[in-house]
């Protein structure tokens, strides 16, 4: 990707919700990242780390009353934050599409799958009913839905979870978006179906040239799918970089902790998987310094100041970490990949 | 389909049987309701009482009386009032039914249209002054007793402003059957329709708004917005469509109870000889045949309305079609 301008460039995205008495609770704080055309970026973090809010902010879908979104998100040079509704609507579904975690509740129960996909196509393209339906059937068949014509006539509850998610992806892809935001697309599915859906997402890049922002809390999914990875903790970027580098040499103790909690495939089976002690701080009570410090085994005085993102790892590969350890000359040990 | 229909028919018969037995027993268990005394008149001699008792069959066992009454109500249809010396009750109900049906059906059209508009607009503009204003208006509508509103409407349209261009078209109180021409029918009922509808517009508008606002929290509404649809389309094709379930069930119940005589107050205020008034007369006079006839009629409508509601569910929600 290198020199050419990225498809989406997010700078200092901050989302704050009013917390009463004129105060604000910052859900997401100063998140910056970029996605190149056709790239798959993984956004990892625990529940409440701000992953979904980040995605919804990009789509202009945060409708919490009084929410304040600052920073910048440029899609092909166009500023998304504060974009007027009409233009945002033209982008949504056409340029930037989104798929959601639970395909059961994410599709309107009273309309057929086909009707809902037709609806999106006809919202953005001048196509006849029959033309839209033909495209719908073709998309469903591309997504590996057996007997797509009949499936188009079925209601969401009549399909299995895997088929519903395929239909959801077909719908998201119906207008050939350049960017697909997938919010935990596999969490509600069983493992075999999960693998098929991830395979499908990887194929999108080849067949449709779409970039994907994959939101997940599953490091396994990231390792399998993403070119680059960004780890969010308590609304801030803890670490980001190429997936391979991040997995081989995690620079943030939080990333390392996440990786440690994946059951190893080789070697002796641990009696208990290591876990990160404690729980992430409530957004209203985040510490002034490093938000991870209360749970961190390496916490010391220097952590009282919020660390900036600094480059680490191999020069030029873009790995960056919000931790003082590498600059103090005592980085975390590399893991055996 | 046929088995569902048969089941529904079986339910109807069971419900009607249960209600008829209940009404019949309540009547005979009510102190001071002895029909013999009413028919024989004041200070009747014991001989007259005995003669009347025998003539009307009140000396027979209760089950026999019940069966005879049902036979005369449903089979021979010559059941006569105990009070109004020989007035046949079935024709009375048949005469009153179109009045009530006209009144309630017209009001229902008004309240459906108005409350859907009100609820949808309020939900679309939720949190704004328009929303608050509409909901306040709905509350005012709910709080106004229908007899008071009806009297005020009569005062305004019949006397105070009757001479002005605005209300000079309003005819005197009463009912004009459709056979006298649709215009007369319409002008006689227009004001009663509006008065009866006000309460329901308030209730339905508020219920629909609440359902729509909670629908905004649903995942599929977010998906619909993420598809790039217009807010109006999201609200109408996705939100409203899924929020109509409560609305429809409420409507089935209210419509049935109104047609079955629940519009009594409106009927009285506007001088309409409907089923509500008939039931009321039957109750004051403890006239069992009349009560029996109106209650049976009303029960039929409640069961019928529920059947229609179930049918509408099938149309509205495909999950019901699959028995989920």
């Amino acid at each position: 990707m290198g020199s050419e301008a990225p498809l989406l460039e997010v700078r200092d995205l901050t989302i704050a919700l009013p917390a009463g008495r004129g105060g604000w609770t910052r859900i997401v704080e100063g998140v910056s990242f970029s996605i190149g055309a056709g790239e798959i970026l993984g956004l990892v973090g625990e529940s409440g780390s701000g992953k979904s809010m980040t995605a919804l902010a990009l789509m202009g879908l945060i409708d919490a009353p009084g929410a304040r979104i600052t920073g910048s998100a440029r899609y092909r040079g166009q500023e998304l934050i504060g974009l007027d509704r009409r233009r945002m609507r033209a982008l949504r579904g056409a340029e930037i599409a989104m798929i959601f975690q639970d395909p059961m509740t994410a599709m309107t129960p009273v309309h057929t799958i086909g009707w809902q996909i037709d609806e999106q196509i006809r919202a953005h393209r001048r196509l006849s009913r029959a033309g839209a339906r033909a495209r719908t059937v073709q998309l469903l068949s591309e997504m590996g839905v057996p007997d797509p014509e009949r499936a188009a006539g079925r209601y969401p509850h009549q399909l299995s979870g895997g088929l519903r998610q395929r239909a959801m992806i077909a719908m998201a892809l119906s207008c050939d978006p350049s960017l697909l935001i997938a919010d935990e697309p596999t969490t509600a599915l069983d493992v075999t179906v999960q693998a098929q859906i991830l395979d499908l997402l990887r194929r999108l890049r080849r067949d449709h040239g779409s970039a994907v922002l994959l939101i997940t809390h599953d490091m396994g999914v990231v390792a399998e799918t993403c070119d680059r990875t960004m780890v969010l903790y308590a609304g801030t970027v803890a670490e980001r970089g190429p997936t391979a580098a991040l997995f081989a040499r995690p620079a943030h103790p939080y990333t390392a902790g996440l990786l440690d909690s994946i059951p190893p495939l080789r070697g002796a089976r641990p009696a208990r998987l290591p876990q990160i002690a404690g729980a992430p701080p409530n957004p209203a009570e985040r510490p002034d310094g490093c938000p991870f410090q209360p749970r961190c085994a390496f916490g010391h005085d220097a952590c009282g100041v919020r660390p900036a993102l600094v480059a680490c790892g191999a020069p030029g590969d873009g790995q960056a970490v919000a931790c003082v350890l590498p600059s103090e000359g005592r980085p975390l040990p590399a893991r055996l990949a | 389909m046929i088995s569902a229909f048969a089941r529904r028919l079986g339910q109807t018969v069971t419900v009607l049987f249960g209600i008829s037995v209940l009404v019949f027993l309540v009547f005979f268990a009510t102190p001071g309701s002895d029909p013999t005394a009413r028919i024989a008149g004041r200070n009747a001699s014991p001989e007259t009482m005995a003669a009347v008792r025998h003539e009307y069959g009140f000396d027979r066992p209760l089950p026999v009386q019940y069966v005879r009454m049902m036979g005369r109500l449903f089979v021979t249809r010559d059941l006569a009032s105990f009070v109004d010396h020989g007035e046949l009750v079935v024709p009375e109900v048949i005469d009153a039914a179109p009045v009530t049906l006209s009144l309630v059906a017209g009001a229902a059209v008004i309240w459906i249209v108005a409350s859907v508009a009100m609820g949808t607009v309020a939900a679309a503009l939720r949190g704004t002054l328009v929303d608050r204003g509409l909901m306040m208006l709905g509350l005012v509508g709910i709080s106004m007793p229908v007899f008071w509103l009806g009297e005020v409407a009569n005062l305004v349209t019949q006397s105070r402003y009757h001479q002005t261009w605005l209300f000079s078209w309003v005819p005197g109180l009463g009912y004009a059957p459709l056979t006298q021409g649709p215009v007369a029918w319409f002008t006689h009922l227009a004001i009663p329709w509006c008065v009866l509808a006000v309460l329901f517009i308030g209730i339905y508008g508020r219920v629909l708004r609440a359902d729509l606002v909670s629908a905004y929290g649903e995942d599929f509404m977010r998906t619909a917005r993420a598809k790039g649809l217009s807010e109006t389309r999201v609200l109408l094709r996705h939100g409203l469509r899924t929020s109509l379930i409560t609305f429809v069930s409420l409507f089935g119940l209210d419509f049935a109870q109104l047609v079955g005589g629940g519009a009594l107050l409106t009927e009285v205020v506007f001088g309409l000889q409907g089923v509500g008034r008939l039931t009321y007369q039957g109750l004051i006079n403890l006239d069992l045949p009349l009560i029996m006839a109106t209650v049976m009629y009303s029960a039929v409508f409640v069961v019928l309305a529920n059947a229609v509601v179930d049918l509408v569910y099938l149309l509205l929600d495909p999950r019901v079609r699959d028995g989920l």
Side-chain angles (χ1 to χ4, degrees), chain A residues 286-300:
Chain A
R286 283 176 191 156
D288 295 330
C290 171
F292 187 61
Q293 190 209 352
R295 301 171 75 185
C296 184
F298 304 91
H300 57 289

Side-chain angles (χ1 to χ4, degrees), chain A residues 105-106 108 111 119 157-158, chain B residues 219 223 227 233 237-238 322:
Chain A
T105 56
T108 309
H111 297 302
E119 186 188 34
H157 71 272
Q158 293 170 325
Chain B
D219 287 355
T223 309
K227 282 160 77 174
R233 193 177 171 94
R237 300 308 292 268
H238 294 266
D322 293 353

Side-chain angles (χ1 to χ4, degrees), chain B residues 228-292:
Chain B
L229 307 177
S230 70
E231 289 295 320
T232 319
R233 193 177 171 94
V234 171
L235 180 66
L236 295 182
R237 300 308 292 268
H238 294 266
L240 186 60
R241 187 53 212 286
T242 44
S243 300
L244 279 178
I245 302 280
T246 329
F247 194 90
V248 167
S249 10
L250 264 185
F251 179 77
L253 294 176
D254 281 331
F255 186 80
Q257 67 93 11
L258 285 177
V259 170
L264 163 69
L265 295 175
T266 317
E267 288 174 8
V268 170
V269 171
F270 291 103
L272 302 168
Q273 271 300 344
V275 179
R277 262 188 110 159
L278 207 60
T279 315
Y280 177 64
Q281 283 161 11
L283 282 171
I284 332 185
N285 298 326
L286 281 174
D287 189 357
L288 176 61
L290 191 53
I291 297 173
M292 203 52 125

Side-chain angles (χ1 to χ4, degrees), chain A residues 40-44 212-216 222 225-231 239-241 243:
Chain A
I40 302 183
L41 173 69
L43 193 53
V44 195
V212 180
L213 175 61
L214 180 63
I215 299 173
T216 179
V222 173
T225 320
C226 302
D227 304 318
R228 287 192 305 131
T229 300
M230 177 163 85
V231 180
E239 182 168 8
R240 63 167 194 240
T243 305

Side-chain angles (χ1 to χ4, degrees), chain B residues 161-184:
Chain B
Y161 297 102
H162 186 61
Q163 301 308 327
T164 64
W165 58 271
L166 198 56
F167 294 119
S168 56
W169 56 270
V170 180
L173 297 182
Y175 174 72
L178 259 176
T179 48
Q180 280 180 24
V183 177

Side-chain angles (χ1 to χ4, degrees), chain B residues 127-196:
Chain B
T128 64
L129 279 178
V130 178
D131 173 25
R132 269 184 236 158
L134 280 174
M135 287 305 103
M136 190 82 91
L137 223 66
L139 207 58
V140 170
I142 297 171
S143 332
M144 278 191 298
V146 69
F147 53 86
W148 178 82
L149 189 63
E151 286 298 353
V152 170
N154 275 341
L155 188 72
V156 169
T157 62
Q158 300 285 342
S159 79
R160 202 59 67 78
Y161 297 102
H162 186 61
Q163 301 308 327
T164 64
W165 58 271
L166 198 56
F167 294 119
S168 56
W169 56 270
V170 180
L173 297 182
Y175 174 72
L178 259 176
T179 48
Q180 280 180 24
V183 177
W185 176 79
F186 185 88
T187 49
H188 274 90
L189 286 171
I191 302 291
W193 282 342
C194 295
V195 168
L196 180 58

